[in-house]
Each structure stands twice: as C-alpha cells, then as structure tokens.
Amino acid sequence: MIPDALAAQLSARRDAPAVVDPEQTLTYADLDGRSGAVAAHLRQRGVAVGEPVIVHTRLSRWAVVAMLGVLRAGARYVPVDAAFPPARRELMATASGARVTLTEELLASLPPTCSPWRDGPDAYTMFTSGSTGEPKAVTVSRAALSYSTRARLDYYDRPPRRFLLCSSISFDSSVAGIYWTLCSGGTLIIATDRPFDVRALVRAGDAHRPTHTLMVPSLYRLTLRSPMRSLSTVIVAGETCPPGLVDLHYERMPQATLYNEYGPTECTVWSTVHQCAAGEDPVPIGRAIPGTTISIEDGELCVSSPGVVSGAAVYRTGDRVSMGSDGLLRYHGRIDEQLKVGGVRIEPAEIEHALMSHPAVLLAGVAVPYQGVAYVVCAEPVDQRTLRAHLLDRLPAVAVPTVFERVPRLPSLPNGKLDRGALSRNGRPGERHDEPSGHSSADPQNCDRQVTSTSCDSREVRPDGSTHRPDWPHPR
C-alpha cells in the first residue's frame, strides 16, 4: 500500500492542499516536487536502499517533505525532533547509525524535482521514550506501516479531510495522522512546532476547522476548555483515558465521536481501539484492530499482528489488562509500576483519575515510588481537606494522598506523557499544607487562563542537555 497510495494521491490531487503549517501551505503538487528533490539528493549522496537517514526538523511541513523523500529513495527515515534537548538528539543520531542528515535549511535549498519511487524493506526507526534508562530503537517495515494504515482506513468510517497533527515527529502517534491523511487525499494541519502549545492549537482549530485529531488525554482535556466544533472524530492515545474526560467530551463536543486507542511502538502505532461512551469507568481500550489478535498471559497483554516489528509471532507488551464479559479489554497499568500501599495494590492512574474527577482539578500526577504526594494543576483554589474527602469516596483510604502540591503544570516526556521520573526527582514529600501549595490569591479566572495557555509547553535546556521547567515544582 505504501508508497503506492502516497504516489497515487500526489498524482491525483495536484492542486489540493496537502500540508498546512504556520508559515506555508503545500499542495500535493508541491509535496510531490519537494519530496522528489529529497529522493534525488539522497541518490546523489549514494544512500543505499534500506539505509537510515536522519530527519532533523521541527514539527513542520519540512518534516513531511523529508519523510516522503526518504521513502521515495528506498531508504528509512529516523525522525529527530529539533525541539528535543541536545543530549537526546545526539543520542538518537548516534544510535541510528545514519551518515546523512536532512535539515530544514538543506530541504529549503533543493529545487523541486520529478523522481521515481524505489522499494525498500523499512519505513522508519523510532526511539521509545521512558523516564529512566536508554531509549530503544524500533525499526518499522514498510509492510508493517502499510498494514497499520490499512487497518485504520478499514476501521474508521470516514477518512480525515483535515487532520490536526499534535504529535512530535519523533513519536509514532504522528505516524497515524500523517499516513492516514495523505493516503486518503486529506490535509495535514500543523498548528505549531510545539505540540503542547494549547493556544496555537485552538487558533488553528478556528482557522482551519479540522475534522479529525489525535492527542494524549491530558492535552485533549486542556483543549476542551475551548472546544473545536468542527471535529467529528477525536482519538486519544498514549496515556490512560480517565472516565471524566469521556464525560467532559460528550458534554462539550456531542457532535464528535471519541475513540480510545492503545498500542506499543513495537506493534506499529496501535493494536486495540474502543469507541467511548459516557459513563464508562474504567474506559476500555476495546478490541483488537482489524488483522490483529490478542491474548492474555498471566494478566499480561500479548499481541499477534502483521504490525509486530520484531518478527516474533507474539509481542508481550508488559501491560496488565483484563477482559470483561462484554469482550472489551481494560488496561490496569504497567506490570512494573503497580503500587502496593498498606497491603492494597493500586495503579498510579487510578489515583490520578480520581483526582481529575473533581471539577477544580485539570491534571494530576503521582510519583513512583509513591510517597503519599499528589501534584495537581487546578482551575481554581481548592483546599486539601476537600480533595481528601473527594478521594475517600473513590479510593481505599490507604491510597489517598496525604500531601497535595499545587503546580502550574506537570512535567512531561518529549511525547507528552507524564514524566513520573521527574515527579520522583523533583518532588518534596513529607511537607503538609492546609491547601495545595502554590495557591494564589489572584483571580481564579486569570489563573485558569494561565494554566490553559501554558501547560506543558515551557522548558529550558540545562548545559548537560536535560530539560527543566523553571517553575517546577512551584516556588513558594
């Protein structure tokens, strides 16, 4: 299917918009000529079929041009987001083994060229993200990418006419939107090179009226404060979907269908999917996507699929699941992250979801190992006693946090997932407060606007290449 479907759309949709970013719109004809120039450049450099090529760009039209150009040359691309910390970029580049790098400056200098498509074994290499340890390279074949994209076209009733892309190019959630959209002749909308700039996402929603999008649940929760009424299909993935988010979605976006997707990078983006309904608790991760089969071994989800990249018949995910009498899978966390508190086993996400069911709490996080501290991003002041009472109705008493720290934002990994490692490193357990720390006497509406517009998008880079948010934890 890929690259044949891409080549067909580039030929058939010449004047239609293919990629829109804040600086420029590329038609399918533009994308054809630009990606052809990349393929010609790589052949001139002697890049062999299957050879890795680094795509070092922001989330922008240039990233899409480079990806398609590498595929056209028969090579495989290694996307290295230019917004990542220098140390991580260097690690990814070194581990990739690539000798050729495509930058935005180089891409802009290449004149459009007609160039043929060459076959190759692999499509791309991504690096999995984690709060500890070294990122692991995962190489996805063209066959696996074709299967994953075809399954998406088969499952969803309507392909995206306009897809709002909210994922870093270095994580496979971006793959879903890019190939689903371009293989269907739709338009990719890139609002910003910082995927967690909520204000930019809302502006792009108003300007371009996207029909489809995919986000991590924590980001989608923030965007729901300014709903995008043009959306008909919303997908959340990458984090556990809290029940309160589903209810909030159907309250504010009743015209759009919400889906919860699950899948490891090693299984090519997605393995299960569920069409969400209000009132579900917990929210299922659903059933296997077309062409995939699942099994549960000692509580662990195992996947058998053409999307499994290792070549093994079955991939053990390391995720704990159960299957109800309705045939739906429900996710219960990582095998290695389950907490045991006072003899009670509980998932960090269960505590977080219970907190976010309180109307004043926008986001919540707890660290692993758990020390009785919860970090909360609030839309309005709320005292500790109120939060404890709220949780005592929903959790075992031993699992209810004893300390609540109010912070302006939660630390995230480059792919937007909660960085529990940063919570553990930067937290201050043992301090007690009558109300969540960081409480301000400022007008709650002003505080709410600040949280909505700046959450998850402010980082500084230390000399060693690590990232730090200047106001995390919130200063007293």
Side-chain angles (χ1 to χ4, degrees):
M1 175 185 176
I2 294 174
D4 292 344
L6 293 172
Q9 294 296 342
L10 293 176
S11 176
R13 300 274 295 165
R14 305 294 289 174
D15 296 329
V19 186
V20 178
D21 73 10
E23 298 170 356
Q24 189 177 347
T25 295
L26 296 181
T27 66
Y28 275 85
D30 295 330
L31 188 56
D32 187 19
R34 292 284 188 181
S35 62
V38 174
H41 171 77
L42 295 178
R43 281 195 285 271
Q44 291 171 2
R45 292 290 307 271
V47 171
V49 169
E51 183 175 338
V53 175
I54 292 173
V55 173
H56 183 259
T57 71
R58 302 166 295 157
L59 174 61
S60 68
R61 67 193 185 282
W62 294 120
V64 181
V65 165
M67 292 171 186
L68 267 60
V70 173
L71 292 178
R72 257 177 120 141
R76 62 179 162 93
Y77 64 86
V78 184
V80 178
D81 195 322
F84 278 13
R88 185 177 180 87
R89 283 184 273 146
E90 180 63 28
L91 185 153
M92 294 166 70
T94 301
S96 73
R99 63 181 180 87
V100 176
T101 297
L102 299 174
T103 64
E104 292 187 19
E105 183 178 13
L106 172 63
L107 293 165
S109 71
L110 299 175
T113 305
C114 180
S115 183
W117 289 77
R118 284 203 295 185
D119 290 333
D122 297 317
Y124 61 82
T125 295
M126 297 278 185
F127 287 83
T128 59
S129 178
S131 57
T132 60
E134 295 293 315
K136 180 180 68 172
V138 177
T139 296
V140 173
S141 70
R142 296 189 184 205
L145 176 58
S146 295
Y147 158 72
S148 179
T149 305
R150 171 53 64 189
R152 193 169 293 280
L153 290 166
D154 289 344
Y155 177 80
Y156 288 99
D157 293 336
R158 291 172 289 182
R161 296 195 307 275
R162 295 177 299 277
F163 187 97
L164 182 61
L165 187 61
C166 304
S167 305
S168 164
I169 64 170
S170 290
F171 293 98
D172 65 347
S173 53
S174 66
V175 169
I178 291 171
Y179 295 101
W180 187 20
T181 303
L182 294 180
C183 287
S184 304
T187 303
L188 279 173
I189 300 166
I190 299 173
T192 171
D193 59 0
R194 297 185 301 168
F196 284 78
D197 185 342
V198 177
R199 185 175 297 171
L201 294 177
V202 171
R203 284 199 302 265
D206 291 340
H208 301 291
R209 299 188 58 77
T211 59
H212 294 58
T213 193
L214 186 156
M215 303 183 192
V216 292
S218 53
L219 176 60
Y220 185 54
R221 186 182 183 93
L222 296 175
T223 65
L224 276 174
R225 303 185 72 77
S226 299
M228 299 182 197
R229 306 295 182 187
S230 61
L231 289 169
S232 62
T233 299
V234 177
I235 302 166
V236 292
E239 297 172 339
T240 308
C241 180
L245 178 62
V246 179
D247 296 341
L248 186 64
H249 164 85
Y250 283 112
E251 174 188 325
R252 299 186 179 181
M253 295 276 288
Q255 83 287 352
T257 305
L258 181 65
Y259 297 87
N260 186 28
E261 288 188 8
Y262 161 89
T265 301
E266 294 85 351
C267 296
T268 313
V269 186
W270 67 325
S271 300
T272 71
V273 61
H274 176 64
Q275 181 175 327
C276 301
E280 294 176 318
D281 188 3
V283 179
I285 59 173
R287 295 182 171 88
I289 64 173
T292 286
T293 58
I294 56 94
S295 60
I296 302 174
E297 302 289 340
D298 298 324
E300 180 181 8
L301 178 60
C302 299
V303 177
S304 177
S305 164
V308 173
V309 303
S310 64
V314 176
Y315 177 75
R316 299 186 70 99
T317 65
D319 292 324
R320 293 190 309 105
V321 299
S322 63
M323 182 179 290
S325 58
D326 54 8
L328 297 175
L329 289 169
R330 289 167 176 82
Y331 176 79
H332 301 293
R334 295 289 299 170
I335 290 175
D336 55 0
E337 277 195 353
Q338 189 181 61
L339 307 176
K340 189 171 184 179
V341 185
V344 175
R345 293 190 179 277
I346 194 166
E347 299 299 325
E350 189 173 348
I351 301 173
E352 293 158 358
H353 292 176
L355 272 166
M356 287 189 287
S357 68
H358 190 282
V361 179
L362 289 173
L363 300 173
V366 298
V368 176
Y370 180 59
Q371 295 180 302
V373 183
Y375 301 92
V376 292
V377 177
C378 296
E380 59 190 48
V382 57
D383 62 47
Q384 177 170 284
R385 289 182 294 273
T386 298
L387 290 180
R388 281 188 57 81
H390 179 77
L391 295 185
L392 284 169
D393 286 340
R394 291 162 174 81
L395 298 172
V398 293
V400 173
T402 57
V403 175
F404 298 88
E405 293 274 1
R406 184 175 179 184
V407 294
R409 59 185 59 84
L410 296 177
S412 64
L413 297 166
N415 61 354
K417 296 181 183 181
L418 177 66
D419 187 349
R420 295 194 189 281
L423 288 179
S424 300
R425 292 189 298 271
N426 294 319
R428 298 181 299 253
E431 300 182 16
R432 296 176 180 270
H433 309 278
D434 290 334
E435 60 187 15
S437 68
H439 167 64
S440 170
S441 60
D443 176 27
Q445 291 184 342
N446 291 333
C447 176
D448 185 26
R449 283 198 295 272
Q450 179 188 14
V451 168
T452 301
S453 64
T454 64
S455 289
C456 306
D457 68 2
S458 175
R459 295 183 181 129
E460 67 182 19
V461 180
R462 294 183 176 127
D464 66 356
S466 61
T467 58
H468 170 64
R469 291 187 170 84
D471 48 0
W472 172 260
H474 189 53
R476 299 193 200 286

